[in-house]
Short mmCIF file of all heavy atoms in Angstrom, two decimals:
data_model
loop_
_atom_site.label_atom_id
_atom_site.label_comp_id
_atom_site.label_asym_id
_atom_site.label_seq_id
_atom_site.Cartn_x
_atom_site.Cartn_y
_atom_site.Cartn_z
N GLU A 357 3.30 9.80 58.73
CA GLU A 357 4.44 10.77 58.74
C GLU A 357 5.51 10.29 59.83
O GLU A 357 6.66 10.41 59.54
CB GLU A 357 4.06 12.15 58.89
CG GLU A 357 3.40 12.77 57.63
CD GLU A 357 1.85 12.60 57.56
OE1 GLU A 357 1.30 12.06 58.49
OE2 GLU A 357 1.29 13.03 56.60
N PHE A 358 4.94 9.97 60.95
CA PHE A 358 5.88 9.47 62.00
C PHE A 358 6.65 8.13 61.48
O PHE A 358 7.89 8.07 61.72
CB PHE A 358 5.12 9.10 63.23
CG PHE A 358 4.98 10.28 64.28
CD1 PHE A 358 3.71 10.83 64.41
CD2 PHE A 358 6.01 10.75 64.87
CE1 PHE A 358 3.61 11.95 65.33
CE2 PHE A 358 5.96 11.90 65.75
CZ PHE A 358 4.66 12.54 65.95
N TYR A 359 5.90 7.35 60.83
CA TYR A 359 6.42 6.10 60.32
C TYR A 359 7.53 6.34 59.29
O TYR A 359 8.68 5.82 59.37
CB TYR A 359 5.33 5.29 59.67
CG TYR A 359 5.76 3.93 59.00
CD1 TYR A 359 6.79 3.13 59.48
CD2 TYR A 359 5.01 3.57 57.86
CE1 TYR A 359 7.02 1.93 58.78
CE2 TYR A 359 5.34 2.37 57.17
CZ TYR A 359 6.35 1.56 57.71
OH TYR A 359 6.55 0.42 57.01
N TRP A 360 7.23 7.34 58.37
CA TRP A 360 8.27 7.68 57.33
C TRP A 360 9.49 8.36 57.89
O TRP A 360 10.62 8.03 57.64
CB TRP A 360 7.67 8.47 56.18
CG TRP A 360 8.50 8.74 55.07
CD1 TRP A 360 9.48 8.01 54.56
CD2 TRP A 360 8.48 10.02 54.28
NE1 TRP A 360 10.07 8.70 53.52
CE2 TRP A 360 9.55 9.93 53.36
CE3 TRP A 360 7.77 11.21 54.32
CZ2 TRP A 360 9.86 10.90 52.38
CZ3 TRP A 360 8.02 12.17 53.44
CH2 TRP A 360 9.06 12.04 52.45
N ALA A 361 9.24 9.42 58.81
CA ALA A 361 10.36 10.12 59.43
C ALA A 361 11.26 9.16 60.23
O ALA A 361 12.49 9.30 60.12
CB ALA A 361 9.81 11.35 60.21
N ALA A 362 10.69 8.44 61.08
CA ALA A 362 11.56 7.49 61.93
C ALA A 362 12.28 6.46 60.99
O ALA A 362 13.47 6.16 61.30
CB ALA A 362 10.65 6.70 62.88
N THR A 363 11.74 6.06 59.92
CA THR A 363 12.31 5.15 58.96
C THR A 363 13.51 5.78 58.37
O THR A 363 14.73 5.24 58.34
CB THR A 363 11.39 4.64 57.92
OG1 THR A 363 10.27 3.92 58.48
CG2 THR A 363 12.12 3.84 56.88
N GLU A 364 13.34 7.00 57.88
CA GLU A 364 14.53 7.64 57.22
C GLU A 364 15.58 7.98 58.25
O GLU A 364 16.78 7.99 57.94
CB GLU A 364 14.08 8.90 56.45
CG GLU A 364 13.07 8.64 55.29
CD GLU A 364 13.76 7.91 54.16
OE1 GLU A 364 14.99 7.59 54.24
OE2 GLU A 364 13.01 7.59 53.15
N LEU A 365 15.18 8.36 59.40
CA LEU A 365 16.29 8.66 60.42
C LEU A 365 17.00 7.42 60.81
O LEU A 365 18.26 7.47 61.13
CB LEU A 365 15.59 9.31 61.65
CG LEU A 365 15.22 10.82 61.51
CD1 LEU A 365 14.28 11.24 62.55
CD2 LEU A 365 16.60 11.59 61.63
N TYR A 366 16.39 6.35 60.84
CA TYR A 366 17.04 5.00 61.18
C TYR A 366 18.09 4.64 60.05
O TYR A 366 19.20 4.36 60.24
CB TYR A 366 16.13 3.84 61.33
CG TYR A 366 16.88 2.59 61.48
CD1 TYR A 366 17.67 2.39 62.58
CD2 TYR A 366 16.83 1.67 60.35
CE1 TYR A 366 18.43 1.15 62.60
CE2 TYR A 366 17.54 0.51 60.46
CZ TYR A 366 18.32 0.15 61.56
OH TYR A 366 19.10 -1.00 61.67
N LEU A 367 17.52 4.80 58.72
CA LEU A 367 18.46 4.44 57.65
C LEU A 367 19.67 5.38 57.55
O LEU A 367 20.69 5.03 57.07
CB LEU A 367 17.67 4.54 56.29
CG LEU A 367 16.58 3.44 56.18
CD1 LEU A 367 15.77 3.58 54.89
CD2 LEU A 367 17.12 2.05 56.25
N LEU A 368 19.48 6.66 58.09
CA LEU A 368 20.67 7.53 58.11
C LEU A 368 21.57 7.31 59.27
O LEU A 368 22.73 7.28 59.09
CB LEU A 368 20.02 8.97 58.15
CG LEU A 368 21.05 10.13 58.45
CD1 LEU A 368 22.03 10.24 57.24
CD2 LEU A 368 20.32 11.43 58.77
N THR A 369 21.00 7.15 60.53
CA THR A 369 21.82 7.12 61.70
C THR A 369 22.06 5.62 62.21
O THR A 369 23.02 5.51 62.91
CB THR A 369 21.05 7.83 62.77
OG1 THR A 369 19.99 7.23 63.18
CG2 THR A 369 20.80 9.24 62.38
N HIS A 370 21.28 4.71 61.75
CA HIS A 370 21.34 3.29 62.32
C HIS A 370 21.06 3.30 63.76
O HIS A 370 21.47 2.27 64.44
CB HIS A 370 22.64 2.61 61.96
CG HIS A 370 22.93 2.64 60.48
ND1 HIS A 370 22.23 1.92 59.59
CD2 HIS A 370 23.90 3.37 59.74
CE1 HIS A 370 22.69 2.12 58.37
NE2 HIS A 370 23.68 2.94 58.35
N ASP A 371 20.37 4.21 64.43
CA ASP A 371 20.09 4.32 65.76
C ASP A 371 18.84 3.32 65.98
O ASP A 371 17.77 3.62 65.36
CB ASP A 371 19.76 5.60 66.27
CG ASP A 371 19.46 5.77 67.66
OD1 ASP A 371 19.07 4.81 68.30
OD2 ASP A 371 19.71 6.88 68.20
N PRO A 372 18.95 2.28 66.80
CA PRO A 372 17.85 1.31 66.91
C PRO A 372 16.56 2.00 67.39
O PRO A 372 15.48 1.42 67.32
CB PRO A 372 18.44 0.28 67.77
CG PRO A 372 19.57 0.78 68.42
CD PRO A 372 20.13 1.84 67.50
N VAL A 373 16.73 3.11 68.15
CA VAL A 373 15.63 3.76 68.73
C VAL A 373 14.68 4.10 67.55
O VAL A 373 13.40 3.97 67.71
CB VAL A 373 15.93 4.94 69.61
CG1 VAL A 373 14.75 5.81 69.96
CG2 VAL A 373 16.72 4.48 70.83
N TYR A 374 15.20 4.72 66.53
CA TYR A 374 14.40 5.15 65.34
C TYR A 374 13.73 3.91 64.71
O TYR A 374 12.63 4.00 64.27
CB TYR A 374 15.20 5.95 64.38
CG TYR A 374 15.66 7.29 64.81
CD1 TYR A 374 17.02 7.62 64.79
CD2 TYR A 374 14.71 8.21 65.26
CE1 TYR A 374 17.37 8.87 65.22
CE2 TYR A 374 15.19 9.46 65.61
CZ TYR A 374 16.53 9.77 65.59
OH TYR A 374 16.86 11.09 66.02
N ARG A 375 14.54 2.85 64.60
CA ARG A 375 13.96 1.65 64.01
C ARG A 375 12.72 1.09 64.75
O ARG A 375 11.69 0.90 64.16
CB ARG A 375 15.05 0.51 63.89
CG ARG A 375 14.57 -0.80 63.29
CD ARG A 375 15.50 -1.90 63.77
NE ARG A 375 15.59 -2.09 65.21
CZ ARG A 375 16.65 -2.52 65.89
NH1 ARG A 375 17.71 -2.90 65.21
NH2 ARG A 375 16.61 -2.70 67.18
N ASP A 376 12.87 1.04 66.07
CA ASP A 376 11.80 0.52 66.87
C ASP A 376 10.60 1.52 66.76
O ASP A 376 9.46 0.95 66.79
CB ASP A 376 12.26 0.31 68.32
CG ASP A 376 13.37 -0.72 68.45
OD1 ASP A 376 13.58 -1.52 67.51
OD2 ASP A 376 14.00 -0.80 69.48
N GLU A 377 10.87 2.70 66.81
CA GLU A 377 9.68 3.62 66.80
C GLU A 377 9.01 3.59 65.33
O GLU A 377 7.77 3.56 65.27
CB GLU A 377 10.18 5.01 67.00
CG GLU A 377 10.54 5.28 68.42
CD GLU A 377 10.94 6.68 68.79
OE1 GLU A 377 10.92 7.59 67.94
OE2 GLU A 377 11.15 7.03 69.95
N ALA A 378 9.83 3.42 64.38
CA ALA A 378 9.22 3.24 63.00
C ALA A 378 8.29 2.09 62.87
O ALA A 378 7.22 2.10 62.42
CB ALA A 378 10.36 3.16 61.99
N LEU A 379 8.85 0.91 63.36
CA LEU A 379 7.99 -0.27 63.25
C LEU A 379 6.72 -0.19 64.07
O LEU A 379 5.70 -0.82 63.75
CB LEU A 379 8.81 -1.52 63.70
CG LEU A 379 10.09 -1.79 62.92
CD1 LEU A 379 10.75 -3.14 63.36
CD2 LEU A 379 9.80 -1.73 61.41
N GLY A 380 6.81 0.63 65.24
CA GLY A 380 5.66 0.74 65.96
C GLY A 380 4.62 1.66 65.33
O GLY A 380 3.40 1.54 65.56
N TYR A 381 5.02 2.49 64.41
CA TYR A 381 4.13 3.37 63.73
C TYR A 381 3.54 2.79 62.43
O TYR A 381 2.59 3.33 61.88
CB TYR A 381 4.78 4.73 63.33
CG TYR A 381 5.00 5.64 64.48
CD1 TYR A 381 6.25 6.09 64.83
CD2 TYR A 381 3.89 6.20 65.21
CE1 TYR A 381 6.51 7.05 65.90
CE2 TYR A 381 4.09 7.03 66.27
CZ TYR A 381 5.30 7.42 66.60
OH TYR A 381 5.48 8.32 67.63
N CYS A 382 4.05 1.65 62.00
CA CYS A 382 3.61 1.08 60.70
C CYS A 382 2.17 0.79 60.80
O CYS A 382 1.65 0.10 61.74
CB CYS A 382 4.36 -0.30 60.58
SG CYS A 382 3.84 -1.03 58.95
N PRO A 383 1.36 1.24 59.85
CA PRO A 383 -0.15 1.07 59.85
C PRO A 383 -0.45 -0.45 59.66
O PRO A 383 0.36 -1.15 58.95
CB PRO A 383 -0.61 1.92 58.76
CG PRO A 383 0.53 2.11 57.83
CD PRO A 383 1.72 2.05 58.70
N ALA A 384 -1.57 -0.77 60.04
CA ALA A 384 -2.07 -2.22 59.85
C ALA A 384 -2.49 -2.45 58.54
O ALA A 384 -2.43 -3.65 58.01
CB ALA A 384 -3.20 -2.45 60.93
N GLN A 385 -2.99 -1.50 57.80
CA GLN A 385 -3.53 -1.65 56.42
C GLN A 385 -2.64 -1.00 55.43
O GLN A 385 -2.15 0.07 55.64
CB GLN A 385 -4.97 -1.12 56.37
CG GLN A 385 -5.63 -1.33 55.02
CD GLN A 385 -7.06 -0.90 55.14
OE1 GLN A 385 -7.53 -0.37 56.13
NE2 GLN A 385 -7.82 -1.08 54.01
N PHE A 386 -2.37 -1.64 54.33
CA PHE A 386 -1.56 -1.14 53.19
C PHE A 386 -2.42 -0.13 52.45
O PHE A 386 -3.67 -0.25 52.17
CB PHE A 386 -1.26 -2.22 52.25
CG PHE A 386 -0.41 -1.80 51.12
CD1 PHE A 386 0.96 -1.75 51.02
CD2 PHE A 386 -1.16 -1.30 49.86
CE1 PHE A 386 1.65 -1.21 49.92
CE2 PHE A 386 -0.39 -0.88 48.83
CZ PHE A 386 0.99 -0.85 48.88
N THR A 387 -1.82 1.01 52.10
CA THR A 387 -2.46 2.13 51.37
C THR A 387 -1.41 2.72 50.31
O THR A 387 -0.27 2.93 50.71
CB THR A 387 -2.99 3.24 52.26
OG1 THR A 387 -1.97 3.66 53.11
CG2 THR A 387 -4.23 2.79 53.08
N PRO A 388 -1.82 2.92 49.20
CA PRO A 388 -0.87 3.56 48.21
C PRO A 388 -0.50 4.96 48.64
O PRO A 388 -1.16 5.59 49.28
CB PRO A 388 -1.75 3.61 46.94
CG PRO A 388 -2.77 2.58 47.06
CD PRO A 388 -3.14 2.62 48.50
N ALA A 389 0.76 5.23 48.29
CA ALA A 389 1.32 6.55 48.81
C ALA A 389 0.74 7.80 48.03
O ALA A 389 0.42 7.67 46.84
CB ALA A 389 2.83 6.60 48.56
N THR A 390 0.45 8.83 48.82
CA THR A 390 0.06 10.10 48.31
C THR A 390 0.69 11.20 49.19
O THR A 390 1.27 10.83 50.19
CB THR A 390 -1.50 10.34 48.23
OG1 THR A 390 -1.99 10.36 49.63
CG2 THR A 390 -2.20 9.16 47.59
N TRP A 391 0.58 12.39 48.89
CA TRP A 391 1.10 13.48 49.76
C TRP A 391 0.52 13.34 51.18
O TRP A 391 1.12 13.72 52.14
CB TRP A 391 0.88 14.84 49.15
CG TRP A 391 -0.62 15.28 49.16
CD1 TRP A 391 -1.50 15.16 48.01
CD2 TRP A 391 -1.36 15.87 50.18
NE1 TRP A 391 -2.67 15.60 48.38
CE2 TRP A 391 -2.68 16.02 49.67
CE3 TRP A 391 -1.10 16.02 51.51
CZ2 TRP A 391 -3.74 16.54 50.53
CZ3 TRP A 391 -2.17 16.66 52.35
CH2 TRP A 391 -3.47 16.80 51.76
N GLY A 392 -0.80 12.90 51.21
CA GLY A 392 -1.46 12.85 52.49
C GLY A 392 -1.34 11.50 53.28
O GLY A 392 -1.83 11.35 54.41
N ASN A 393 -0.67 10.58 52.60
CA ASN A 393 -0.44 9.24 53.34
C ASN A 393 0.87 8.69 52.77
O ASN A 393 1.00 8.09 51.74
CB ASN A 393 -1.61 8.30 53.04
CG ASN A 393 -1.49 7.04 53.91
OD1 ASN A 393 -0.45 6.59 54.35
ND2 ASN A 393 -2.66 6.53 54.23
N VAL A 394 1.90 8.92 53.52
CA VAL A 394 3.29 8.63 53.03
C VAL A 394 3.80 7.24 53.60
O VAL A 394 4.94 6.94 53.44
CB VAL A 394 4.29 9.76 53.34
CG1 VAL A 394 3.94 10.94 52.59
CG2 VAL A 394 4.27 10.00 54.90
N ALA A 395 2.90 6.50 54.28
CA ALA A 395 3.29 5.31 54.84
C ALA A 395 3.98 4.31 53.86
O ALA A 395 5.02 3.67 54.12
CB ALA A 395 2.12 4.55 55.49
N GLU A 396 3.45 4.28 52.59
CA GLU A 396 4.08 3.34 51.61
C GLU A 396 5.55 3.71 51.28
O GLU A 396 6.37 2.84 51.04
CB GLU A 396 3.20 3.25 50.43
CG GLU A 396 3.68 2.01 49.44
CD GLU A 396 2.92 2.05 48.12
OE1 GLU A 396 2.12 2.92 47.88
OE2 GLU A 396 3.08 1.05 47.45
N LEU A 397 5.83 5.04 51.41
CA LEU A 397 7.22 5.44 51.13
C LEU A 397 8.17 4.79 52.13
O LEU A 397 9.28 4.17 51.83
CB LEU A 397 7.45 6.92 51.18
CG LEU A 397 6.57 7.74 50.09
CD1 LEU A 397 7.04 9.19 50.30
CD2 LEU A 397 6.86 7.23 48.76
N ALA A 398 7.74 4.69 53.45
CA ALA A 398 8.57 3.99 54.44
C ALA A 398 8.57 2.60 54.21
O ALA A 398 9.66 1.86 54.36
CB ALA A 398 7.89 4.35 55.81
N SER A 399 7.46 1.91 53.87
CA SER A 399 7.44 0.48 53.62
C SER A 399 8.39 0.12 52.47
O SER A 399 9.07 -0.90 52.50
CB SER A 399 5.96 0.01 53.35
OG SER A 399 5.28 0.11 54.51
N LEU A 400 8.36 0.87 51.37
CA LEU A 400 9.24 0.67 50.25
C LEU A 400 10.69 0.72 50.68
O LEU A 400 11.53 -0.03 50.22
CB LEU A 400 8.95 1.60 49.10
CG LEU A 400 7.53 1.43 48.45
CD1 LEU A 400 7.33 2.52 47.45
CD2 LEU A 400 7.50 0.05 47.67
#
Side-chain angles (χ1 to χ4, degrees):
E357 285 88 2
F358 272 110
Y359 176 38
W360 184 34
T363 295
E364 295 295 358
L365 279 163
Y366 171 70
L367 294 177
L368 172 65
T369 67
H370 304 292
D371 185 336
V373 172
Y374 291 124
R375 178 199 60 206
D376 295 344
E377 291 186 357
L379 300 186
Y381 283 120
C382 178
Q385 185 175 358
F386 178 92
T387 51
T390 67
W391 66 263
N393 192 333
V394 295
E396 191 182 9
L397 298 187
S399 293
L400 290 171

